[in-house]
């Protein structure tokens, strides 16, 4: 009987040890990003997400982040996550429009939702569900990954005084805005972030759009192209986290939750960080670089852009029912939420500036 009791104690101890080991199992994932290792705040969103996941899981969820210089494929993130080369990715959805046009609207659309409006659409207006519907075709889950807010319209060597000045202009501008510009005669190209300054310096392009003061000024574009245009094309540029669905489903339920919460918090932190960085960089630009000419596109050019934007959206919607569903959802939500944006942000600023 004593031997039986001893054996029972040993078995129970082994069971508890096994259970404890199982609970403490470490899950190691890898993440590829479009960004270089110093490209703040974009790379920070990826690094912070990995950090939060590790801390909240008490080390059970470990994510290794590879910047673009590591994997050498800044615009291939979706393919790498889809194919299982990486478990996760951090990029911008509109970079994948050449492979799947339905991914286009989840970054930002010209003359569309602002960042607060778009976040509300994602989490309260059905946007997140539509994002999953689009990315499900690739065996991938996708989540908002940090917003840059309203982006500046870009750096130009020469001032744009009329529509004719756009014809034949060589410009780096991604997403749907590139399609709109191309319709007005611009020769559009997309260039990886790390190659932008060189392309401008070597006259491969005449103009480029990047982000805003916080990221632009450190790139040195103002040394070559002094005309800095206000934005119209990306009022809510949202990055996105991608997760290979099979990798996600292998995680225990609590780690799945920790991962999604980490992505949401890191996205918000990037938005706040970028806003603060922009404010500081804007002040620096005014004080240290007075030769930068901040300008707005002429009224006739803006009208032409809006017209081209409307026509192209209709064409795209006719080609893809799913894309039309996403665009219609954004339009419907914007009509309802924009009234409050006018009442709150617009009128407040109008009356107090």
């Amino acid at each position: 009987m004593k031997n039986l009791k001893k054996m029972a104690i040993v078995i129970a101890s082994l069971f508890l040890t096994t259970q404890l080991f199982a609970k403490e199992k470490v899950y190691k994932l890898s993440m590829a990003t479009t960004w270089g290792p110093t490209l703040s705040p974009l790379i920070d969103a990826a690094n912070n997400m990995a950090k939060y996941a590790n801390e909240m899981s008490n080390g059970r969820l470990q994510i290794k982040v590879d910047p673009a210089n590591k994997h050498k494929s800044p615009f291939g993130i979706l393919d790498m996550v889809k194919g299982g080369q990486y478990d996760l990715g951090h990029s911008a959805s509109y970079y994948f429009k050449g492979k799947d046009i339905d991914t286009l609207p989840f970054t930002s659309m010209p003359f569309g939702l602002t960042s607060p409006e778009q976040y509300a659409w994602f989490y309260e207006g059905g946007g997140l569900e539509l994002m999953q519907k689009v990315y499900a075709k690739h065996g991938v889950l996708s989540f908002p990954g940090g917003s840059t807010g309203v982006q500046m319209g870009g750096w130009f060597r020469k001032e744009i005084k009329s529509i004719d000045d756009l014809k034949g202009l060589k410009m780096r501008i991604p997403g749907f805005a590139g399609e709109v510009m191309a319709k007005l005669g611009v020769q559009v190209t997309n260039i990886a972030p790390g190659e932008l300054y060189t392309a401008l310096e070597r006259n491969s392009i005449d103009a480029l759009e990047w982000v805003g003061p916080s990221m632009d000024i450190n790139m040195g574009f103002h040394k070559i192209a002094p005309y800095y245009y206000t934005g119209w094309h990306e009022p809510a540029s949202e990055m996105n986290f991608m997760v290979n669905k099979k990798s996600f489903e292998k995680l225990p339920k609590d780690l799945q939750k920790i991962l999604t919460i980490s992505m949401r918090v890191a996205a918000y932190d990037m938005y706040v960080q970028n806003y603060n960085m922009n404010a500081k960089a804007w002040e620096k630009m005014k004080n240290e670089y007075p030769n930068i000419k901040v300008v707005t596109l002429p009224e006739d050019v803006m009208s032409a852009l809006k017209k081209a934007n409307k026509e192209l959206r209709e064409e795209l919607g006719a080609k893809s029912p799913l894309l039309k569903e996403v665009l219609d959802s954004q339009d419907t939500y914007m009509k309802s939420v924009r009234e409050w944006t006018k009442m709150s942000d617009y009128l407040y600023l109008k009356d107090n500036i």
Side-chain angles (χ1 to χ4, degrees):
M1 182 67 71
K2 288 182 179 180
N3 288 336
L4 287 174
K5 285 183 177 179
K6 287 180 179 179
M7 187 177 293
I9 292 170
V10 170
I11 291 172
S13 298
L14 286 171
F15 176 77
L16 290 171
T17 302
T18 302
Q19 290 296 101
L20 181 62
F21 177 79
K23 286 182 180 178
E24 295 301 320
K25 180 180 177 180
V26 174
Y27 292 82
K28 295 184 178 182
L29 305 179
S30 58
M31 177 163 58
T33 76
T34 293
W35 332 113
T38 60
L39 201 57
S40 294
L42 303 178
I43 192 66
D44 298 336
N47 288 330
N48 285 337
M49 191 276 279
K51 175 175 174 285
Y52 299 155
N54 182 275
E55 291 175 348
M56 287 193 285
S57 68
N58 196 29
R60 292 167 56 218
L61 185 55
Q62 298 178 9
I63 301 170
K64 180 178 178 290
V65 179
D66 280 354
N69 62 314
K70 178 76 173 179
H71 55 73
K72 310 295 185 183
S73 184
F75 296 139
I77 309 299
L78 174 58
D79 283 342
M80 290 191 289
V81 175
K82 177 180 179 178
Q85 293 168 261
Y86 283 88
D87 302 292
L88 301 103
H90 189 247
S91 188
S93 197
Y94 64 9
Y95 288 147
F96 316 130
K97 69 183 179 73
K99 294 184 176 294
D100 184 352
I101 194 64
D102 296 337
T103 63
L104 175 65
F106 297 108
T107 302
S108 189
M109 291 297 285
F111 310 109
L113 296 161
T114 64
S115 289
E117 292 172 339
Q118 187 161 280
Y119 273 129
W121 173 70
F122 273 124
Y123 290 109
E124 300 293 336
L128 188 59
E129 290 78 7
L130 286 169
M131 183 186 262
Q132 305 312 335
K133 187 175 180 179
V134 167
Y135 277 87
K137 295 179 289 181
H138 304 282
V140 170
L141 302 171
S142 182
F143 302 88
S147 178
T148 63
V150 179
Q151 291 198 2
M152 292 293 285
W155 299 88
F156 292 71
R157 291 176 183 275
K158 298 179 180 179
E159 187 176 2
I160 303 301
K161 298 180 179 179
S162 69
I163 297 173
D164 288 339
D165 291 332
L166 293 177
K167 294 175 182 176
L169 186 83
K170 294 175 291 183
M171 183 175 185
R172 181 271 183 191
I173 181 167
F176 193 63
E179 306 287 334
V180 175
M181 278 292 210
K183 192 173 176 66
L184 297 186
V186 175
Q187 295 180 26
V188 173
T189 186
N190 194 12
I191 301 170
E195 302 168 15
L196 291 176
Y197 182 84
T198 302
L200 190 64
E201 184 182 39
R202 294 179 178 176
N203 293 317
S204 299
I205 52 176
D206 304 307
L208 62 81
E209 173 276 342
W210 181 216
V211 181
S214 67
M215 299 182 70
D216 291 8
I217 201 66
N218 292 330
M219 301 284 265
F221 304 136
H222 60 284
K223 299 174 185 177
I224 306 168
Y227 292 94
Y228 198 27
Y229 277 85
T230 55
W232 59 274
H233 64 303
E234 293 186 36
S237 297
E238 187 71 34
M239 307 305 108
N240 73 313
F241 286 111
M242 290 159 282
V243 190
N244 180 284
K245 190 176 181 184
K246 291 180 181 178
S247 297
F248 185 79
E249 290 174 345
K250 288 178 183 178
L251 297 175
K253 295 295 182 183
D254 66 321
L255 293 188
Q256 290 180 0
K257 190 66 175 178
I258 285 172
L259 182 61
T260 56
I261 290 173
S262 297
M263 289 188 286
R264 188 164 178 171
V265 175
Y268 177 75
D269 282 356
M270 192 199 109
Y271 178 44
V272 174
Q273 181 187 1
N274 189 71
Y275 202 95
N276 179 63
M277 288 172 63
N278 271 336
K280 290 182 177 179
W282 184 249
E283 190 66 26
K284 180 180 180 180
M285 282 173 59
K286 289 192 300 180
N287 294 332
E288 298 182 21
Y289 307 107
N291 292 330
I292 294 175
K293 302 173 179 63
V294 178
V295 283
T296 300
L297 290 169
E299 189 175 333
D300 64 327
V301 174
M302 288 297 288
S303 296
L305 288 169
K306 290 177 181 178
K307 182 175 181 291
N309 181 63
K310 183 176 183 296
E311 292 172 353
L312 285 170
R313 283 172 62 102
E314 291 172 354
E315 291 175 16
L316 282 178
K319 292 177 182 177
S320 170
L322 182 50
L323 178 60
K324 185 177 187 303
E325 183 181 0
V326 177
L327 292 174
D328 287 349
S329 175
Q330 288 184 335
D331 287 347
T332 299
Y333 194 78
M334 187 167 73
K335 286 177 183 176
S336 62
V337 76
R338 184 56 57 85
E339 290 305 311
W340 173 244
T341 302
K342 290 178 185 176
M343 284 296 296
S344 56
D345 296 353
Y346 173 71
L347 290 180
Y348 170 77
L349 293 172
K350 177 176 172 290
D351 293 341
N352 290 281
I353 290 180

